[in-house]
Amino acid sequence: MNGTIVNHEKTAITPATHTAPPAKFSHGVRKGNLLQVAGQVGFLPAVEGEPPTPAGPTLREQTLQTFDNVRSVLEAGGATWDDVMMMRVYLTDVDHFAEMNALYNAYFEEQGLTAPPAARTTVYVGLPAGLLIEIDALAVLG
């Protein structure tokens, strides 16, 4: 042991842009150098006293907002996109794969990632009405 103190406490992460979760979970959790971002959807930044509002009805609007929401949790937890090891994307319509892939590629090209994360996409029909995409991410810091 070299005397280095390692923080292994679990810390809940809720960015100021997010509403409190509707159930007993966190938008993100950091423990040591791991940060798990819970599934994020395309809701606009929270407005006090207002219900969550989707960024718009299109996959493009919701995908870009979902990326912003994931990034907000990453940043609040001390991470960046370059720290992300794995992303899981959930779509509600199999016909959205090509459009989402194009949006994904363009977004991460703009971010200038040194190496893209591992990722998987699946179709999942359990999102609330009107929501088309959900994304979660696992980041390793340091």
Side-chain angles (χ1 to χ4, degrees), residues 3 10 18 32 37 44 50 74 80-81 90-91 94 100 120:
K10 190 164 69 170
H18 287 51
V37 177
L44 293 168
E50 297 289 324
L74 290 169
T80 69
W81 284 119
Y90 304 92
L91 297 172
V94 70
M100 191 285 301
R120 75 160 303 192

Side-chain angles (χ1 to χ4, degrees):
M1 201 81 179
N2 63 7
T4 303
I5 297 174
V6 179
N7 182 0
H8 288 291
E9 290 183 30
K10 190 164 69 170
T11 304
I13 308 294
T14 300
T17 54
H18 287 51
T19 59
K24 194 165 180 72
F25 69 87
S26 301
H27 287 291
V29 175
R30 181 168 176 182
K31 185 170 183 179
N33 68 338
L34 296 178
L35 172 61
Q36 176 64 58
V37 177
Q40 301 294 304
V41 294
F43 286 141
L44 293 168
V47 175
E48 184 82 28
E50 297 289 324
T53 304
T58 69
L59 181 66
R60 176 177 173 54
E61 291 165 311
Q62 289 188 28
T63 298
L64 295 177
Q65 185 63 53
T66 300
F67 285 144
D68 284 348
N69 293 343
V70 172
R71 188 185 69 238
S72 292
V73 178
L74 290 169
E75 290 174 353
T80 69
W81 284 119
D82 274 321
D83 297 313
V84 174
M85 300 296 292
M86 178 67 180
M87 286 183 38
R88 286 176 292 266
V89 179
Y90 304 92
L91 297 172
T92 58
D93 187 332
V94 70
D95 292 334
H96 288 165
F97 269 91
E99 182 180 357
M100 191 285 301
N101 284 340
L103 291 165
Y104 182 99
N105 289 341
Y107 180 86
F108 285 109
E109 186 174 318
E110 289 174 11
Q111 303 308 307
L113 290 183
T114 56
R120 75 160 303 192
T121 303
T122 190
V123 175
Y124 171 71
V125 295
L127 294 178
L131 293 177
L132 305 173
I133 187 168
E134 179 177 343
I135 300 173
D136 69 56
L138 176 65
V140 178
L141 291 77

